[in-house]
Structures are given as structure tokens and as C-alpha cells.
Amino acid sequence: MVEKTNMDFLDLSVLLILLLWQWTFTTGSERYWEYIGSVGQSKWPEHFPACGGTAQSPIDVVPVQTQYDPSLSPLILLGYSQHGKEPFVLHNNGHTVVLQIPDRMGLGGLPCQFTAIQLHLHWGNGSPGSGASEHTINGQRTAAELHVVHYNSELYPNMSVAKTQPDGLAVLGVLIETGEEANPAFWNILNYLVHIRHAGQSVSIPAFDIQSLLPSNLGRYYLYNGSLTTPPCFQSVLWTLFTETIKISRTQLTKMETVLYTTKEEDTSHVLMQDNYRATQPLNGRMVLSSFPPESVRVYTVGEITAIVIGALCGVIGLAVIICFIVKTIRSTSSWDLLPSIRPATIIRMPGKEPKQDVVLTPTSEAGKKEDLVPNLA
Ligand SMILES: *[C@@H]1O[C@H](CO)[C@@H](O)[C@H](O)[C@H]1NC(C)=O
Ligand SMILES: *[C@@H]1O[C@H](CO)[C@@H](O)[C@H](O)[C@H]1NC(C)=O
């Protein structure tokens, strides 16, 4: 199996593609950048002015601050499952792994027709619990993120032209979490990473159903205007971030995080491709739309309102009954407590005369005796 894949790798067609990539990336005005270091994220705007713009991606999505737009319908994937038999090309571009998608795949349900061009991933560094998604929801990062890039083929001839236009691109963002089980769809990519460990390498892989990488619910998403999350950061992207996450196993995540290098094969030292995600960018007043109504603002029916009012009334009456019972209980308890201390007093004061007589009688006799004695002594 491995030998056969190596044969595929050395296939002439792949070599041709390699040369084509080489040509694209060396003749293009590609300038060097990285995530951390001397040409790291904070330096991007100096070398790529658009990265300092006011509508950058990724962003932190705060669901309570999004605006529900009932006109947003579920996204329609066109031709995603009709992958055919022609192999796909997987490439290490020094920043991520890129899967070239055949142009017969596209997107419907957005303002324009979009054609798929590539998908790629962003991930962390293998330390447990370290989130590395680009987009966050309420500040929470997931383990990784998948992006499927499309260009506006209704208005522009190709990706190169479209990526510089405000309405040129549409990217689907999928948040990836780790779960108990492996995600079979992801092996279609992860199994081949070992063949493209070094920057600039490509491999052809069997075609597969790209839709199997995506969430099943394509109707719940956030939509906003943003940018490419890597230099040159053109502000040309209509972003769709699905609320449903997809799950891969920890083994699969580890493979993503520890197999690829950002360096070329001929380089003297090799650097692992890790933490290839950009920090969230300020919204600067941009609106984030949601395709679904927020849970807290529910519309109640007349029946529900009646039930709530009756329920509240019953609650108030019930509480009053309980309070009355408690007050009564306290009163009766306190008279029982006081009785023993009151009793002697009542016995002394109320029947009064009897004890008085007792008390008086004895001393009177004594007093009488004294009185008798005193005059005697006097
Ligand atoms: C994209 O289209 C433009 C305009 O038609 C053309 O000049 C350019 O060569 C095309 N680029 C690629 C990479 O095909
Ligand atoms: C994106 O920008 C365009 C042009 O300004 C605007 O028509 C559209 O409503 C915006 N979309 C979103 C989701 O904010």
C-alpha cells in the first residue's frame, strides 16, 4: 500500500502539479510571513497593508449580539458529493495543508453563485486543552477549524481576480472539537500527511465526498463580512460559520498537529507546523447575522401566557398559605415555651391571697413573737 502511494507520489502528473505550484509561489509576489516570530501576526500589517484593515477575520462571535435574519436559508452544496474518480491534490504550502477542490463543486443559497477552490485547516500544538480554532464563540476556542474556500464565479473569472474584490470570496468555517470516536471522513486527508511533511510538497489522493467533512445542519450559521485570515488578508470574504461543530478523535488531532513541517525538505533544521491560527480581530461595528432566532427571545402564545399568569397566581396564593401556617406555628410554639416561666408567677400573683397568707402567716407569728419580745425587752 505504502509503496503504491509512493508510486503515485512520483507520478508524472504530480510532478507537473509540483512544478506548477513551485512556479505560482516563486514567480508570484509572495512575501515571507509566519504566525510567531519576526514576521509574526503583529508585523503582518507592515508587510501586507490589508492585514491592518477594519474588517478583518477571524472574529469572536457573541451570539447575543448577533442579528437574526429570517431571509437566510440553509446553504446548498452543489456537486460536493459527486467527486468522480479523478484524484484530488493535497499540498503543504508551509502554513497549512491545502486540498484542491474540483471546480464542479460550489455553493448555493448565498447572494451569488460561488465555486469551490480549496479547503484547509488551522490547528494547535498538541498540548491538551489548547484551543486553536480561528473563530471563537463567546471567547471559546475549539481544538481546530476547517475552512472551505469559494470564489464568486458569477462575477469574476477566477480566484486571483476574485480574492481582491469586496464580494469575491465565500468561506465556510467549521469548528472542530475532539470526541471519543475517530471521524472516518478526516482519514481521507490525515492518512496522506506523511507524504507532504515538508513545505512545497504535494500528493495526489483518492477522491472522496467533501460534504462528509461538514456538519449535517447547514441551516444554522453566522454570516459576516471579513477577510482572509492569512496574508495578504484581503477583505473580500463573506464568512459562514456553522454553529454545529464536527468531532474528530484525539489521535486524529495529534496527527494534524505533529506531522507537518513549515520548512522545506532541503532546509538544515525542520520546524513543526503548529499553532497556525490568527488572533481574533475587532468587529469595528460590523454586524454578524444569524440564520436562526436567539433562544431567549421566544414568542409566547396566548395559551402559554394564560398558563404563566395562572401559574404565578397559584404560586402567590401558595406562598401566602405557607406564610400564614409558619406565623401560626411560631405563635403557638412561643406560648408553649413561655408557659413554664409564667406559671410560678401566675401562681404567686393570680391566686394571690393563698401564698400571701402562707408567707404572712408564719412571719406574723414570728413577728408577733418578736413584737411580743420587743415590748418585753423595752
Ligand atoms: C484570471 O483572470 C484574469 C482576467 O481574465 C486573467 O488575466 C488571469 O490570467 C487569470 N488568472 C489565472 C491564474 O488564471
Ligand atoms: C456585506 O457587505 C455588503 C456590501 O456592503 C452588504 O450588502 C452585505 O449586507 C454585508 N453582509 C453582511 C452579512 O453583513
Side-chain angles (χ1 to χ4, degrees):
M1 275 309 280
V2 173
E3 261 181 43
K4 196 184 175 296
T5 332
N6 281 340
M7 290 281 283
D8 283 349
F9 177 60
L10 293 169
D11 200 309
L12 251 180
S13 65
V14 175
L15 271 174
L16 263 170
I17 288 155
L18 249 168
L19 285 171
L20 197 80
W21 268 107
Q22 213 58 355
W23 177 81
T24 320
F25 281 91
T26 48
T27 56
S29 56
E30 284 279 316
R31 255 166 294 167
Y32 180 75
W33 61 270
E34 55 199 353
Y35 281 95
I36 301 157
S38 54
V39 202
Q41 304 192 32
S42 57
K43 299 285 174 10
W44 290 358
E46 291 171 26
H47 305 272
F48 309 90
C51 298
T54 55
Q56 288 290 292
S57 293
I59 56 160
D60 176 39
V61 175
V62 181
V64 294
Q65 286 166 16
T66 62
Q67 189 179 305
Y68 169 46
D69 182 345
S71 75
L72 299 179
S73 50
L75 289 199
I76 300 155
L77 304 178
L78 306 167
Y80 262 57
S81 301
Q82 286 121 49
H83 49 76
K85 289 209 162 66
E86 216 169 297
F88 291 169
V89 175
L90 201 63
H91 175 69
N92 176 341
N93 70 3
H95 305 293
T96 184
V97 52
V98 181
L99 178 70
Q100 304 299 318
I101 305 178
D103 61 10
R104 59 179 172 275
M105 299 182 191
L107 274 187
L110 290 173
C112 281
Q113 196 82 21
F114 287 87
T115 296
I117 182 110
Q118 54 110 314
L119 65 80
H120 61 264
L121 294 150
H122 299 269
W123 58 82
N125 59 29
S127 65
S130 69
S133 62
E134 295 213 295
H135 286 93
T136 58
I137 293 186
N138 276 331
Q140 296 294 304
R141 264 179 218 292
T142 64
E145 187 166 332
L146 167 73
H147 290 160
V148 191
V149 184
H150 305 73
Y151 75 93
N152 187 334
S153 47
E154 202 172 307
L155 300 179
Y156 308 108
N158 54 43
M159 174 72 179
S160 319
V161 175
K163 71 179 179 190
T164 62
Q165 305 301 314
D167 52 359
L169 306 180
V171 182
L172 307 182
V174 180
L175 298 173
I176 303 174
E177 290 183 299
T178 50
E180 293 297 310
E181 284 162 30
N183 184 326
F186 273 76
W187 287 129
N188 289 306
I189 295 172
L190 300 176
N191 274 341
Y192 301 93
L193 296 185
V194 288
H195 302 294
I196 53 162
R197 296 197 79 169
H198 304 284
Q201 294 181 329
S202 294
V203 64
S204 60
I205 65 168
F208 67 95
D209 179 2
I210 305 261
Q211 184 164 356
S212 63
L213 297 169
L214 302 180
S216 53
N217 188 343
L218 301 176
R220 278 175 71 92
Y221 56 84
Y222 299 109
L223 196 72
Y224 79 97
N225 283 323
S227 73
L228 300 172
T229 64
T230 57
C233 310
F234 293 140
Q235 297 184 161
S236 54
V237 182
L238 178 59
W239 274 98
T240 304
L241 184 67
F242 293 111
T243 60
E244 187 189 324
T245 61
I246 47 171
K247 293 198 169 62
I248 62 172
S249 67
R250 185 141 281 285
T251 309
Q252 290 183 309
L253 182 67
T254 303
K255 198 146 245 185
M256 202 186 281
E257 290 169 336
T258 57
V259 172
L260 301 179
Y261 295 116
T262 62
T263 42
K264 292 194 163 72
E265 191 166 20
E266 62 268 26
D267 288 344
T268 45
S269 63
H270 292 147
V271 179
L272 276 176
M273 188 185 285
Q274 294 187 322
D275 289 326
N276 56 355
Y277 64 96
R278 189 188 193 189
T280 53
Q281 305 294 307
L283 261 185
N284 294 320
R286 277 176 289 171
M287 184 56 75
V288 179
L289 303 179
S290 73
S291 68
F292 54 95
E295 269 89 29
S296 52
V297 187
R298 269 198 61 207
V299 179
Y300 292 100
T301 63
V302 174
E304 281 173 325
I305 291 168
T306 315
I308 288 165
V309 169
I310 291 171
L313 273 175
C314 289
V316 168
I317 293 166
L319 201 65
V321 169
I322 290 167
I323 290 170
C324 283
F325 176 76
I326 290 170
V327 167
K328 273 187 180 166
T329 312
I330 288 171
R331 275 192 188 149
S332 49
T333 312
S334 52
S335 50
W336 288 335
D337 283 357
L338 288 171
L339 264 176
S341 57
I342 288 165
R343 256 180 211 142
T346 355
I347 290 161
I348 295 164
R349 281 169 204 166
M350 288 299 283
K353 286 157 193 175
E354 280 176 70
K356 215 181 178 182
Q357 280 170 352
D358 282 346
V359 174
V360 171
L361 271 174
T362 13
T364 322
S365 57
E366 278 173 359
K369 280 172 192 172
K370 275 177 190 173
E371 270 170 22
D372 287 343
L373 283 171
V374 173
N376 287 348
L377 282 168

